[in-house]
Amino acid sequence: APGTVPRRRPPASDMGRGLPLLLLALALLAAPARAEGGTAAAEEVQIEVLHLPEACSPKSKKGDLLNAHYDGFLASDGSKFYCSRTQNEGHPKWFVLGVGQVIKGLDIAMMNMCPGEKRKVTIPPSLAYGQQGYAQGNIPPNATLVFEIELYAVNKGPRSVEAFNQIDKDGDKKLSELEISQYLKEEFARDGKKRHPSAHDEILADIFKKNDHDGDGFISAKEYNVYQHDEL
């Protein structure tokens, strides 16, 4: 689906409190995004800035964790196919930019955007749902989409330098099984949810399966930083 998201804008001081405690671990479980081929000039995302705050910092970039509200319309007749205010109890959506958690057109449309900025973007079918459309979302084949977006917050994403260093206790620029295991234990304890005893080992094994590409028993800075938005 295009995404979910808000009823009203939360205070800036509260934005980070809604982040799931296991965000870094879950990010490690996600498969790296793969770059797609180029798009013809006629198939570019059209961006109209509706409001730009005087203070425009930080600007969003690939790998950042964004909090945004957006509604979607069909360009053909202006009908609304998605209303974020009616989803997830009206809360804004948290997602990592540029890694395929939303349609490619939105990943492109929300680059270099600052907190408080509002945009109206037009996305061609090739960067949305293409020839197949999305019947469940009431989007017909070959549909051009229009989104009205308000960005609330731009935070360091789960693959940031800060996140890596938080897990890398000995500072050797690689994550050992012991370091990630300890991180999971701390997050589980902080989370307070009851889990089967095997959950820790299963998550740990899956993290290394998906991230330890050279099989040396460590997740290197290069293996971890698949979003390539910071230098480790």
Side-chain angles (χ1 to χ4, degrees):
T4 58
V5 266
R7 181 170 44 203
R8 56 185 174 79
R9 178 175 180 172
S13 60
D14 291 339
M15 297 306 294
R17 298 176 189 172
L19 299 182
L21 293 172
L22 290 172
L23 185 61
L24 306 191
L26 294 178
L28 284 168
L29 292 172
R34 288 177 171 80
E36 298 182 15
T39 313
E43 294 293 292
E44 292 180 350
V45 174
Q46 298 175 26
I47 299 173
E48 177 185 357
V49 177
L50 303 178
H51 173 70
L52 188 66
E54 290 185 12
C56 186
S57 179
K59 288 190 174 183
S60 61
K61 60 185 182 300
K62 185 176 182 180
D64 280 343
L65 184 67
L66 306 188
N67 185 254
H69 157 68
Y70 45 90
D71 292 341
F73 307 83
L74 296 179
S76 59
D77 60 8
S79 61
K80 182 182 288 188
F81 63 83
Y82 178 76
C83 178
S84 57
R85 292 178 175 85
T86 64
Q87 303 291 321
N88 194 28
E89 298 183 346
H91 295 299
K93 176 180 173 62
W94 288 102
F95 66 95
V96 179
L97 181 65
V99 300
Q101 292 186 357
V102 291
I103 59 173
K104 187 172 180 63
L106 280 176
D107 269 339
I108 294 171
M110 297 183 70
M111 292 286 183
N112 297 312
M113 199 171 178
C114 54
E117 183 175 344
K118 296 180 182 180
R119 290 182 177 181
K120 180 178 181 180
V121 302
T122 303
I123 299 173
S126 61
L127 298 176
Y129 295 96
Q131 297 179 356
Q132 293 75 32
Y134 183 60
Q136 186 177 346
N138 296 317
I139 299 172
N142 299 310
T144 296
L145 307 181
V146 176
F147 284 92
E148 294 181 356
I149 307 165
E150 181 174 6
L151 182 60
Y152 294 154
V154 177
N155 292 319
K156 288 287 187 180
R159 295 273 183 164
S160 66
V161 170
E162 290 82 358
F164 184 92
N165 291 339
Q166 182 179 344
I167 305 173
D168 184 24
K169 300 294 187 183
D170 61 9
D172 64 353
K173 299 302 180 184
K174 58 184 180 181
L175 306 181
S176 68
E177 185 172 324
L178 180 61
E179 285 173 328
I180 294 180
S181 176
Q182 184 60 35
Y183 171 78
L184 288 175
K185 289 178 181 177
E186 293 172 355
E187 289 300 294
F188 282 161
R190 192 177 296 125
D191 186 285
K193 294 182 179 178
K194 291 184 178 181
R195 293 179 175 83
H196 191 277
S198 64
H200 173 278
D201 293 340
E202 290 174 357
I203 292 176
L204 185 63
D206 203 23
I207 285 174
F208 273 86
K209 180 180 179 182
K210 292 183 177 178
N211 293 272
D212 182 18
H213 305 304
D214 60 11
D216 67 351
F218 294 90
I219 298 174
S220 67
K222 183 177 181 181
E223 289 170 329
Y224 177 89
N225 196 32
V226 296
Y227 299 156
Q228 300 299 321
H229 63 287
D230 281 314
E231 293 297 327
L232 282 165

